[in-house]
Amino acid sequence: MNPATAIAITHLGLCTPLGQTPQTVRDNLIAGNIDGMKWRDDLLFERSVLVGQIDTKLPSIASELKRFDTRNNQLTLLIAKQIESAVIAAKAQYGSHRIGIILGTSTSGIATGESALAQLQTEGQFPLDYDYAKQELGDTSQFLQAYFGLNGPCYTVSTACSSSAKVFASGQRLIDAGVCDMVIVGGIDTLCKLTLNGFYSLESISSGHCQPFSVNRDGINIGEGGALFTLEKVNLDKPAQQPTSYIILSGIGESSDAHHISAPHPEGQGAVAAMQAALAMAKLRPEQIDYLNLHGTATPKNDAMESRAVQQVFQSSLPACSSTKPLTGHTLGAAGAVEAAFCYLLLSDYNMPQYLPPQVWDEQADPNDPDLPLVSANMQAAIHHVMSNSFAFGGSNASVIFSRLTAHCDSKERA
């Protein structure tokens, strides 16, 4: 890519258990608010479970798009409306064929399929409007394309928990190849029984509130949520009346260690490779990362692996870091996008220094794992570069770096 250009995040829409507006989400993120975590007794077959839940009323899907009527797509619609004016303007500027869509998900409309199967069992037939396509992984991307009236590239990445982190790499490639002028990327996942009971069968669901990196950790809380971003190429040297600030996708690293179908490599080899690749692409040294959003699932093996991988990459220059999953639950295929959105919100606050998302946990560190400088309440830092980690089943790993840049900055600032 031409050094004078960069891929900027030009718009953001989101909805998480922390709220559905950038200001509300940021305020609750910094406060370490756990009010979005709710006990439910209708998801697991054997007991109640704590999950990150969206209580906002979701919009109805129009009759002409009823084929896409699922809760996952209703959540997508709520988020899409937040960036709709930007997409309409881009269609007029670039043409609908020059706007791509790449989303990550792991649940799609599975909950709708669960309801349909329940009716089949009790009444002997599926609902009249049931369509298996509603639970196919590509359904949400296709819905968003139909809603916006676009006909550019459109597809879904489904690599479990790294899904909506990897979409940034895919979006960047479409723009750099000259295929698209704008790419809508992100991820959406909603709660469903299949996912909860699947993790429960793996003995990976916490008995209470998850405790990332604690010696007492016993598994994850699952959550729901989503975020959508628009990516566009910007010219950093374009003449302007005054300096213009951008939040850019400065680095993205991907790896696949394929160590085990559900367990990460114990030394985090794939995680190390992903973080190092992101730093190399961003042309940043480890000590230049001001905040790291950890994958931090609170499973014994993930946290042990990630602490070792972070220690290996950053060594003596460990950045302030935290896992935000105790605030939202693990949003699975949407986690990469949701947590990237948190990083974006940190960079969008131009007050220096800024408050960081605190680690909400019992503060009982595991003595068997390397210590990490986990964020405590009211901790502040000057934020210019942030990294977010997403590590998935099967050894699919992705690390994303966002940076804040100002047009007309010199080469040292740009680096």
Side-chain angles (χ1 to χ4, degrees):
M1 184 165 49
N2 188 325
T5 65
I7 293 178
I9 301 159
T10 49
H11 301 88
L12 168 68
L14 78 171
C15 183
T16 79
L18 294 176
Q20 62 174 4
T21 68
Q23 188 62 52
T24 300
V25 170
R26 187 187 178 281
D27 289 348
N28 286 325
L29 178 70
I30 298 307
N33 192 324
I34 60 172
D35 289 348
M37 302 299 295
K38 308 288 186 181
W39 284 97
R40 294 272 297 270
D41 58 10
D42 60 337
L43 291 171
L44 289 182
F45 296 124
E46 298 183 7
R47 65 171 178 85
S48 297
V49 64
L50 186 67
V51 296
Q53 181 171 294
I54 291 172
D55 289 327
T56 302
K57 182 179 179 180
L58 301 180
S60 299
I61 292 176
S63 58
E64 62 270 22
L65 295 173
K66 279 297 181 183
R67 208 287 287 157
F68 297 102
D69 193 4
T70 66
R71 189 166 187 274
N72 214 63
N73 289 340
Q74 285 181 288
L75 178 58
T76 303
L77 178 58
L78 184 150
I79 299 169
K81 288 180 177 293
Q82 298 175 35
I83 63 169
E84 187 165 9
S85 61
V87 175
I88 291 172
K91 284 174 65 177
Q93 180 179 357
Y94 304 132
S96 61
H97 66 293
R98 298 286 300 174
I99 302 174
I101 296 174
I102 311 173
L103 302 183
T105 189
S106 62
T107 62
S108 187
I110 290 175
T112 299
E114 291 172 351
S115 297
L117 286 169
Q119 181 171 322
L120 176 65
Q121 286 183 319
T122 58
E123 301 180 18
Q125 63 179 12
F126 283 112
L128 294 178
D129 65 346
Y130 175 66
D131 186 334
Y132 179 82
K134 291 182 178 182
Q135 64 190 61
E136 291 180 341
L137 290 170
D139 188 65
T140 297
S141 298
Q142 292 169 4
F143 164 67
L144 196 61
Q145 184 181 51
Y147 176 74
F148 282 138
L150 304 175
N151 52 21
C154 175
Y155 57 94
T156 296
V157 175
S158 189
T159 54
C161 308
S162 64
S163 301
S164 60
K166 290 170 69 67
V167 299
F168 288 96
S170 299
Q172 179 202 27
R173 286 190 283 267
L174 287 180
I175 293 174
D176 283 348
V179 175
C180 292
D181 294 302
M182 172 188 277
V183 182
I184 302 166
V185 300
I188 296 92
D189 254 9
T190 43
L191 295 168
C192 65
K193 294 179 181 178
L194 177 67
T195 303
L196 266 295
N197 285 278
F199 276 98
Y200 184 66
S201 71
L202 294 174
E203 300 181 345
S204 294
I205 296 291
S206 176
S207 59
H209 207 121
C210 70
Q211 302 287 340
F213 302 98
S214 167
V215 69
N216 300 312
R217 65 188 185 273
D218 67 344
I220 68 175
N221 300 135
I222 290 180
E224 60 183 357
L228 296 174
F229 307 77
T230 58
L231 303 182
E232 298 176 79
K233 186 174 288 188
V234 295
N235 187 341
L236 299 176
D237 291 336
K238 184 178 180 180
Q241 296 295 323
Q242 58 186 10
T244 302
S245 292
Y246 298 103
I247 297 173
I248 69 164
L249 172 62
S250 53
I252 173 76
E254 300 176 276
S255 71
S256 181
D257 59 59
H259 171 73
H260 185 272
I261 191 171
S262 61
H265 190 284
E267 297 302 317
Q269 289 182 357
V272 168
M275 286 186 278
Q276 290 178 336
L279 287 166
M281 176 181 165
K283 296 181 173 60
L284 292 173
R285 301 181 303 278
E287 61 267 26
Q288 290 178 279
I289 298 298
D290 302 304
Y291 169 72
L292 170 60
N293 186 284
L294 298 160
H295 188 55
T297 61
T299 57
K301 290 184 178 180
N302 174 87
D303 292 4
M305 171 279 293
E306 188 171 13
S307 61
R308 285 165 173 75
V310 170
Q311 180 73 52
Q312 182 175 334
V313 171
F314 291 93
Q315 299 184 24
S316 62
S317 59
L318 289 165
C321 51
S322 61
S323 168
T324 50
K325 287 179 173 66
L327 311 182
T328 63
H330 188 346
T331 56
L332 304 177
V338 167
E339 292 165 24
F342 295 161
C343 292
Y344 174 91
L345 293 176
L346 293 178
L347 289 167
S348 64
D349 181 359
Y350 292 90
N351 296 314
M352 292 286 186
Q354 297 137 304
Y355 288 103
L356 300 177
Q359 176 86 20
V360 177
W361 65 317
D362 61 7
E363 301 185 24
Q364 301 296 312
D366 190 336
N368 297 310
D369 299 333
D371 285 334
L372 297 178
L374 299 174
V375 177
S376 57
N378 299 316
M379 185 179 288
Q380 294 177 286
I383 301 295
H384 300 281
H385 307 283
V386 296
M387 175 185 283
S388 184
N389 284 340
S390 297
F391 306 134
F393 278 5
S396 176
N397 310 292
S399 293
V400 180
I401 299 175
F402 291 165
S403 300
R404 180 168 50 209
L405 293 184
T406 301
H408 309 301
C409 63
D410 62 31
S411 58
K412 180 179 179 181
E413 290 178 302
R414 190 176 293 130

PDB file of all heavy atoms in Angstrom, residues 389-404:
ATOM      1  N   ASN A 389      -6.765  -9.333  20.523  1.00  0.00           N
ATOM      2  CA  ASN A 389      -6.500 -10.736  20.198  1.00  0.00           C
ATOM      3  C   ASN A 389      -7.787 -11.544  20.100  1.00  0.00           C
ATOM      4  O   ASN A 389      -8.708 -11.364  20.905  1.00  0.00           O
ATOM      5  CB  ASN A 389      -5.622 -11.380  21.275  1.00  0.00           C
ATOM      6  CG  ASN A 389      -4.168 -10.968  21.182  1.00  0.00           C
ATOM      7  OD1 ASN A 389      -3.712 -10.502  20.141  1.00  0.00           O
ATOM      8  ND2 ASN A 389      -3.439 -11.143  22.269  1.00  0.00           N
ATOM      9  N   SER A 390      -7.825 -12.459  19.139  1.00  0.00           N
ATOM     10  CA  SER A 390      -8.934 -13.405  19.005  1.00  0.00           C
ATOM     11  C   SER A 390      -8.349 -14.766  18.617  1.00  0.00           C
ATOM     12  O   SER A 390      -7.751 -14.901  17.544  1.00  0.00           O
ATOM     13  CB  SER A 390      -9.924 -12.948  17.939  1.00  0.00           C
ATOM     14  OG  SER A 390     -10.527 -11.718  18.293  1.00  0.00           O
ATOM     15  N   PHE A 391      -8.530 -15.753  19.493  1.00  0.00           N
ATOM     16  CA  PHE A 391      -7.958 -17.084  19.272  1.00  0.00           C
ATOM     17  C   PHE A 391      -9.075 -18.115  19.336  1.00  0.00           C
ATOM     18  O   PHE A 391      -9.839 -18.155  20.306  1.00  0.00           O
ATOM     19  CB  PHE A 391      -6.891 -17.386  20.329  1.00  0.00           C
ATOM     20  CG  PHE A 391      -5.816 -16.327  20.423  1.00  0.00           C
ATOM     21  CD1 PHE A 391      -5.403 -15.845  21.657  1.00  0.00           C
ATOM     22  CD2 PHE A 391      -5.227 -15.816  19.277  1.00  0.00           C
ATOM     23  CE1 PHE A 391      -4.415 -14.877  21.746  1.00  0.00           C
ATOM     24  CE2 PHE A 391      -4.244 -14.841  19.350  1.00  0.00           C
ATOM     25  CZ  PHE A 391      -3.829 -14.368  20.593  1.00  0.00           C
ATOM     26  N   ALA A 392      -9.133 -18.981  18.319  1.00  0.00           N
ATOM     27  CA  ALA A 392     -10.301 -19.854  18.165  1.00  0.00           C
ATOM     28  C   ALA A 392      -9.950 -21.328  18.201  1.00  0.00           C
ATOM     29  O   ALA A 392      -8.786 -21.722  18.074  1.00  0.00           O
ATOM     30  CB  ALA A 392     -11.003 -19.538  16.842  1.00  0.00           C
ATOM     31  N   PHE A 393     -11.005 -22.157  18.338  1.00  0.00           N
ATOM     32  CA  PHE A 393     -10.862 -23.602  18.189  1.00  0.00           C
ATOM     33  C   PHE A 393     -10.145 -23.908  16.872  1.00  0.00           C
ATOM     34  O   PHE A 393     -10.299 -23.211  15.878  1.00  0.00           O
ATOM     35  CB  PHE A 393     -12.239 -24.264  18.157  1.00  0.00           C
ATOM     36  CG  PHE A 393     -12.846 -24.503  19.516  1.00  0.00           C
ATOM     37  CD1 PHE A 393     -12.244 -24.055  20.673  1.00  0.00           C
ATOM     38  CD2 PHE A 393     -14.040 -25.194  19.625  1.00  0.00           C
ATOM     39  CE1 PHE A 393     -12.800 -24.279  21.927  1.00  0.00           C
ATOM     40  CE2 PHE A 393     -14.621 -25.429  20.864  1.00  0.00           C
ATOM     41  CZ  PHE A 393     -14.000 -24.975  22.018  1.00  0.00           C
ATOM     42  N   GLY A 394      -9.405 -24.993  16.882  1.00  0.00           N
ATOM     43  CA  GLY A 394      -8.704 -25.405  15.676  1.00  0.00           C
ATOM     44  C   GLY A 394      -7.423 -24.650  15.431  1.00  0.00           C
ATOM     45  O   GLY A 394      -6.765 -24.849  14.409  1.00  0.00           O
ATOM     46  N   GLY A 395      -7.053 -23.749  16.350  1.00  0.00           N
ATOM     47  CA  GLY A 395      -5.815 -22.991  16.185  1.00  0.00           C
ATOM     48  C   GLY A 395      -5.912 -21.861  15.194  1.00  0.00           C
ATOM     49  O   GLY A 395      -4.910 -21.457  14.608  1.00  0.00           O
ATOM     50  N   SER A 396      -7.109 -21.307  14.988  1.00  0.00           N
ATOM     51  CA  SER A 396      -7.276 -20.141  14.117  1.00  0.00           C
ATOM     52  C   SER A 396      -7.082 -18.887  14.955  1.00  0.00           C
ATOM     53  O   SER A 396      -7.845 -18.626  15.891  1.00  0.00           O
ATOM     54  CB  SER A 396      -8.672 -20.142  13.481  1.00  0.00           C
ATOM     55  OG  SER A 396      -8.879 -18.969  12.721  1.00  0.00           O
ATOM     56  N   ASN A 397      -6.064 -18.098  14.630  1.00  0.00           N
ATOM     57  CA  ASN A 397      -5.664 -16.960  15.454  1.00  0.00           C
ATOM     58  C   ASN A 397      -5.647 -15.670  14.640  1.00  0.00           C
ATOM     59  O   ASN A 397      -5.268 -15.667  13.468  1.00  0.00           O
ATOM     60  CB  ASN A 397      -4.265 -17.192  16.031  1.00  0.00           C
ATOM     61  CG  ASN A 397      -4.129 -18.547  16.697  1.00  0.00           C
ATOM     62  OD1 ASN A 397      -4.740 -18.796  17.724  1.00  0.00           O
ATOM     63  ND2 ASN A 397      -3.345 -19.441  16.095  1.00  0.00           N
ATOM     64  N   ALA A 398      -6.039 -14.577  15.281  1.00  0.00           N
ATOM     65  CA  ALA A 398      -5.992 -13.273  14.617  1.00  0.00           C
ATOM     66  C   ALA A 398      -5.716 -12.190  15.648  1.00  0.00           C
ATOM     67  O   ALA A 398      -6.267 -12.206  16.747  1.00  0.00           O
ATOM     68  CB  ALA A 398      -7.300 -12.976  13.895  1.00  0.00           C
ATOM     69  N   SER A 399      -4.846 -11.268  15.286  1.00  0.00           N
ATOM     70  CA  SER A 399      -4.567 -10.085  16.100  1.00  0.00           C
ATOM     71  C   SER A 399      -4.727  -8.855  15.219  1.00  0.00           C
ATOM     72  O   SER A 399      -4.216  -8.818  14.097  1.00  0.00           O
ATOM     73  CB  SER A 399      -3.143 -10.131  16.671  1.00  0.00           C
ATOM     74  OG  SER A 399      -3.011 -11.183  17.600  1.00  0.00           O
ATOM     75  N   VAL A 400      -5.456  -7.874  15.731  1.00  0.00           N
ATOM     76  CA  VAL A 400      -5.761  -6.651  14.983  1.00  0.00           C
ATOM     77  C   VAL A 400      -5.148  -5.468  15.712  1.00  0.00           C
ATOM     78  O   VAL A 400      -5.224  -5.383  16.949  1.00  0.00           O
ATOM     79  CB  VAL A 400      -7.288  -6.453  14.859  1.00  0.00           C
ATOM     80  CG1 VAL A 400      -7.603  -5.178  14.077  1.00  0.00           C
ATOM     81  CG2 VAL A 400      -7.931  -7.646  14.189  1.00  0.00           C
ATOM     82  N   ILE A 401      -4.553  -4.544  14.967  1.00  0.00           N
ATOM     83  CA  ILE A 401      -4.024  -3.306  15.546  1.00  0.00           C
ATOM     84  C   ILE A 401      -4.721  -2.119  14.899  1.00  0.00           C
ATOM     85  O   ILE A 401      -4.774  -2.014  13.658  1.00  0.00           O
ATOM     86  CB  ILE A 401      -2.503  -3.174  15.354  1.00  0.00           C
ATOM     87  CG1 ILE A 401      -1.771  -4.321  16.042  1.00  0.00           C
ATOM     88  CG2 ILE A 401      -2.002  -1.833  15.895  1.00  0.00           C
ATOM     89  CD1 ILE A 401      -0.262  -4.326  15.792  1.00  0.00           C
ATOM     90  N   PHE A 402      -5.284  -1.248  15.717  1.00  0.00           N
ATOM     91  CA  PHE A 402      -5.821   0.037  15.276  1.00  0.00           C
ATOM     92  C   PHE A 402      -4.884   1.137  15.769  1.00  0.00           C
ATOM     93  O   PHE A 402      -4.331   1.043  16.877  1.00  0.00           O
ATOM     94  CB  PHE A 402      -7.205   0.305  15.855  1.00  0.00           C
ATOM     95  CG  PHE A 402      -8.301  -0.587  15.327  1.00  0.00           C
ATOM     96  CD1 PHE A 402      -9.525  -0.645  15.994  1.00  0.00           C
ATOM     97  CD2 PHE A 402      -8.149  -1.346  14.179  1.00  0.00           C
ATOM     98  CE1 PHE A 402     -10.552  -1.441  15.532  1.00  0.00           C
ATOM     99  CE2 PHE A 402      -9.160  -2.164  13.705  1.00  0.00           C
ATOM    100  CZ  PHE A 402     -10.373  -2.208  14.380  1.00  0.00           C
ATOM    101  N   SER A 403      -4.748   2.188  14.961  1.00  0.00           N
ATOM    102  CA  SER A 403      -3.900   3.325  15.332  1.00  0.00           C
ATOM    103  C   SER A 403      -4.619   4.626  15.024  1.00  0.00           C
ATOM    104  O   SER A 403      -5.437   4.698  14.103  1.00  0.00           O
ATOM    105  CB  SER A 403      -2.571   3.289  14.559  1.00  0.00           C
ATOM    106  OG  SER A 403      -1.846   2.109  14.827  1.00  0.00           O
ATOM    107  N   ARG A 404      -4.289   5.639  15.788  1.00  0.00           N
ATOM    108  CA  ARG A 404      -4.841   6.966  15.533  1.00  0.00           C
ATOM    109  C   ARG A 404      -3.783   7.789  14.811  1.00  0.00           C
ATOM    110  O   ARG A 404      -2.664   7.952  15.305  1.00  0.00           O
ATOM    111  CB  ARG A 404      -5.242   7.652  16.847  1.00  0.00           C
ATOM    112  CG  ARG A 404      -5.820   9.037  16.649  1.00  0.00           C
ATOM    113  CD  ARG A 404      -6.472   9.557  17.909  1.00  0.00           C
ATOM    114  NE  ARG A 404      -5.596   9.431  19.067  1.00  0.00           N
ATOM    115  CZ  ARG A 404      -6.044   9.265  20.304  1.00  0.00           C
ATOM    116  NH1 ARG A 404      -7.334   9.173  20.545  1.00  0.00           N
ATOM    117  NH2 ARG A 404      -5.201   9.183  21.311  1.00  0.00           N
TER     118      ARG A 404
END
